[in-house]
């Protein structure tokens, strides 16, 4: 096992990630219609396509980029909890809250099922489902950390939610006007169907402050589902892995049959003892517990507004650095040539969520 990278080894990659996050913040001031987090991940994707940059990304910057994509992502998700208040969610009313929860659950498992049907590799079905149904790249990072998915496995889902969330900023206002939605209906629709919080703000603000306020509360209600969905998905995935392991070890399975010998045949050479299994990830990761504690703190503790504002700025900066690091692992050429299944799953999930959310608000 290779030794853990030192702080000095991680410093270049972290410094570049934070620097690009600051650049994305400046660009978002110039282009307020594009969310800062979308700019950050887009810059990472662009840099990742430059052949000359890949040697640096995979070399001296690699330890810091890995730290940013995992540890800074977890820290940003904890801080994201300070945007949530149980009181604001309760003000939506029980019917709206139940509808949002049902929408998240249905779209999550439908996307997960479709991703498996399309034979997406590894944990990609789970990551795409989290990103599209809960809260975009932040949910992908949370689910990826819980399932120990590396940056390359998270890269395609992050690219997909960035693409579809950016399309939503353009498509949904035009569609809402064509459908004759009022500000309240449009706010509910955007909050229930758009992925990242920044993309929700950029989309909903086109219909005024009333739509924006509703969209943000609905969106943050979806964010609150991050903790239970990570726990449920981790538990279900763990059971599926255990069932697959039992099947492989069952009498008559190819693995078992290959280990049997016929009478009189020379004995097979002894095989070395299997390596000890890696420790299981906890069902509810520590950073998810921190996220829930942050929600409770924001609900019940009198945190001064300047402190919340400063922590909100820090949260956006930290997530921007993490998303830039994740974006550098995206390879568009590979996505186009071998990732078309993931593209189909992402676009289908985006359309399914938008149509289902529209149906719910019409009812």
């Amino acid at each position: 096992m290779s030794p853990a990278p030192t702080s000095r080894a991680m410093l270049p990659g972290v410094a570049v990630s934070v620097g690009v996050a600051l650049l994305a913040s400046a660009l978002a001031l110039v282009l307020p219609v594009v969310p800062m987090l979308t700019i950050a991940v887009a810059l990472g994707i662009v840099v990742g396509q430059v052949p000359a940059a890949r040697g640096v990304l995979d070399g001296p910057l690699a330890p810091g980029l890995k730290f940013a994509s995992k540890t800074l992502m977890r820290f940003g998700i904890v801080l994201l909890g300070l945007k949530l208040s149980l009181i604001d969610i309760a003000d939506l009313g029980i019917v709206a809250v139940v509808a949002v929860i049902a929408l998240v659950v249905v779209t999550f498992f439908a996307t997960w099922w479709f991703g498996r049907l399309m034979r997406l590799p590894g944990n990609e079905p789970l990551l795409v489902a989290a990103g599209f149904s809960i809260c975009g790249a932040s949910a992908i990072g949370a689910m990826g950390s819980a399932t120990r998915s590396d940056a390359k496995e998270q890269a395609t889902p992050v690219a997909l939610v960035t693409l579809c969330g950016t399309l939503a900023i353009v498509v949904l206002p035009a569609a809402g006007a064509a459908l004759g939605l009022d500000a309240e209906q449009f706010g509910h629709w955007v909050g229930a169907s758009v992925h990242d919080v920044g993309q929700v703000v950029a989309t909903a603000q086109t219909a005024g402050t009333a739509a924006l306020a509703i969209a943000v509360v609905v969106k943050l209600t979806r964010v609150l589902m991050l903790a239970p969905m990570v726990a449920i998905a981790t538990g279900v995935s763990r059971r599926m892995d255990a069932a697959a392991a039992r099947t492989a070890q069952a009498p008559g399975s190819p693995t078992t049959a290959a280990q049997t010998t016929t009478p009189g045949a020379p004995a097979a050479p002894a095989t070395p003892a299997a390596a000890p299994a890696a420790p299981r990830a906890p069902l509810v990761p520590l950073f998810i517990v921190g996220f829930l504690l942050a929600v409770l703190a924001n609900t019940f503790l009198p945190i001064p507004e300047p402190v919340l504002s400063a922590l909100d700025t820090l949260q956006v900066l930290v997530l921007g650095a993490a998303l830039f690091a994740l974006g550098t692992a995206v390879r568009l050429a590979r996505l186009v040539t071998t990732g078309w299944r993931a593209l189909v799953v992402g676009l289908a999930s985006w359309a399914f969520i938008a149509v289902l959310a529209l149906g719910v608000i019409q009812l």
Side-chain angles (χ1 to χ4, degrees):
M1 179 181 297
S2 58
T6 64
S7 299
R8 181 176 296 180
M10 291 188 295
L11 185 58
V14 172
V16 169
S17 298
V18 173
V20 173
L22 290 171
L23 173 62
S25 298
L27 292 175
L29 295 177
V30 179
L31 301 170
V33 72
V34 184
M36 176 270 192
L37 297 181
T38 299
I39 295 175
V41 71
L43 289 173
I45 292 172
V46 170
V47 171
Q49 311 319 303
V50 180
R54 292 176 188 170
V56 180
L57 296 175
D58 297 335
L61 297 185
L65 293 175
K66 182 177 180 181
F67 177 85
S69 65
K70 290 190 174 182
T71 304
L72 291 187
M73 175 67 78
R74 294 174 183 177
F75 182 52
I77 290 168
V78 172
L79 293 178
L80 183 62
L82 294 173
K83 290 179 177 286
L84 288 166
S85 168
L86 298 180
I87 297 172
D88 290 337
I89 293 172
D91 287 343
L92 282 176
I94 187 63
V95 174
V97 171
V98 170
V100 170
I101 292 172
L103 185 69
V104 169
V105 173
V106 170
T107 54
F108 180 92
F109 284 103
T111 303
W112 190 5
W113 168 82
F114 189 47
R116 289 174 60 83
L117 182 68
M118 292 293 289
R119 303 192 304 280
L120 299 188
N123 288 320
E124 271 193 21
L126 199 58
L127 300 177
V128 173
F132 278 83
S133 67
I134 305 174
C135 57
S138 301
I140 293 169
M143 193 68 74
S145 295
T147 57
R148 299 182 176 178
S149 305
D150 60 22
K152 291 183 179 179
E153 195 168 19
Q154 297 177 50
T156 295
V158 166
L160 291 175
V161 295
T162 302
L163 170 64
C164 292
T166 304
L167 288 175
I169 297 172
V170 178
V171 173
L172 262 60
L179 293 168
L181 301 181
D182 59 30
E184 181 178 349
Q185 290 174 321
F186 185 71
H188 276 283
W189 189 32
V190 172
S193 60
V194 181
H195 315 310
D196 282 312
V197 176
Q199 294 166 343
V200 167
V201 172
T203 308
Q205 68 185 358
T206 61
T209 55
L212 177 58
I214 293 172
V216 169
V217 175
V218 171
K219 175 62 197 174
L220 294 180
T221 304
R222 289 170 63 199
V223 173
L224 191 60
M225 292 294 292
L226 185 62
M229 295 308 293
V230 166
I232 292 170
T234 303
V236 171
S237 182
R238 186 178 295 174
R239 290 192 175 201
M240 292 170 62
D241 290 343
R246 286 195 300 269
T247 300
Q249 295 171 0
S253 68
T255 303
T256 306
Q259 295 172 349
T260 61
T261 58
T262 56
T271 56
R280 281 183 171 184
L283 194 61
V284 181
L286 186 59
F287 71 94
I288 292 294
V289 175
F291 166 82
L292 292 174
L293 291 176
V295 174
L296 294 176
N298 190 39
T299 303
F300 298 109
L301 297 181
I303 304 175
E305 186 59 36
V307 174
L308 285 176
S309 179
L311 290 175
D312 179 58
T313 301
L314 177 62
Q315 179 259 334
V316 174
L317 180 65
V318 167
L319 279 184
L323 291 177
F324 167 77
L326 281 177
T328 61
V330 175
R331 298 294 179 263
L332 292 179
R334 184 167 65 237
L335 178 62
V336 171
T337 56
T338 65
W340 64 269
R341 290 187 179 88
L343 184 61
V344 170
V345 173
L347 291 174
S349 178
W350 178 49
F352 177 65
I353 292 169
V355 171
L356 191 61
L358 182 61
V360 168
I361 66 168
Q362 294 285 15
L363 293 176

